[in-house]
Amino acid sequence: MPLLRFDLIEGRTGAELKALLDAAHRAMLEAFKVPERDRYQLVHEHEPGHMIVEDTGLGIPRTDKVVVLHVTSRPRTRKQKEDFYRLLCEELRRSCGIAPSDVMVSIVENTDEDWSFGLGRAQFLTGEL
């Protein structure tokens, strides 16, 4: 159950946002092998100038198409994470024209007790999931 939060500079159309979210979901499905309907995505748009994404001295160019993706997830292997980074960039380039240099990802892991999908229960702990 990854939860994806996208921080973007405002200005994309509804169709562009849909393409971006669909591309990220395809990468998630392939890399993390989650079920098709395991899709939780939030978009936060920021005015130009309200989002600064530099390159930590790596010389990575950024544009106004920059995507900062925060992923909260149960533990994943190193290979799954590396596959996700690669697949995400491939999907975003192919579907949205977003350069890999405009994609930044941070993954934070938690455990089964940290999730409730509703109804006041922790479904991973109760065995519902």
Side-chain angles (χ1 to χ4, degrees):
M1 182 321 204
L3 173 63
L4 282 65
R5 175 197 160 133
F6 299 82
D7 285 284
L8 314 168
I9 296 172
E10 65 186 8
R12 287 177 169 90
T13 67
E16 289 171 325
L17 287 173
K18 181 178 181 342
L20 188 153
L21 296 176
D22 289 348
H25 190 58
R26 286 191 299 274
M28 184 67 55
L29 289 172
E30 186 171 340
F32 288 2
K33 307 297 186 217
V34 297
E36 178 74 31
R37 288 184 45 87
D38 194 354
R39 186 171 181 172
Y40 301 89
Q41 300 172 316
L42 306 169
V43 174
H44 296 268
E45 295 184 283
H46 306 274
E47 293 179 30
H50 287 200
M51 192 169 146
I52 298 171
V53 183
E54 294 184 347
D55 64 3
T56 315
L58 296 171
I60 300 171
R62 308 282 191 202
T63 72
D64 61 352
K65 288 187 169 187
V66 68
V67 174
V68 177
L69 176 56
H70 309 272
V71 179
T72 304
S73 175
R74 299 163 85 189
R76 304 292 170 174
T77 67
R78 176 179 176 167
K79 181 175 181 347
Q80 286 176 312
K81 292 174 189 177
E82 289 176 338
D83 286 349
F84 177 67
Y85 303 145
R86 178 182 49 78
L87 291 165
L88 177 66
C89 286
E90 290 172 3
E91 287 285 348
L92 290 176
R93 178 185 289 262
R94 180 175 36 253
S95 300
C96 308
I98 297 172
S101 57
D102 270 331
V103 181
M104 180 179 167
V105 180
S106 173
I107 297 177
V108 176
E109 294 181 339
N110 60 16
T111 64
D112 291 352
E113 67 190 38
D114 298 312
W115 295 100
S116 172
F117 296 88
L119 306 175
R121 296 193 297 268
Q123 287 84 356
F124 286 132
L125 299 180
T126 65
E128 295 168 82
L129 287 175

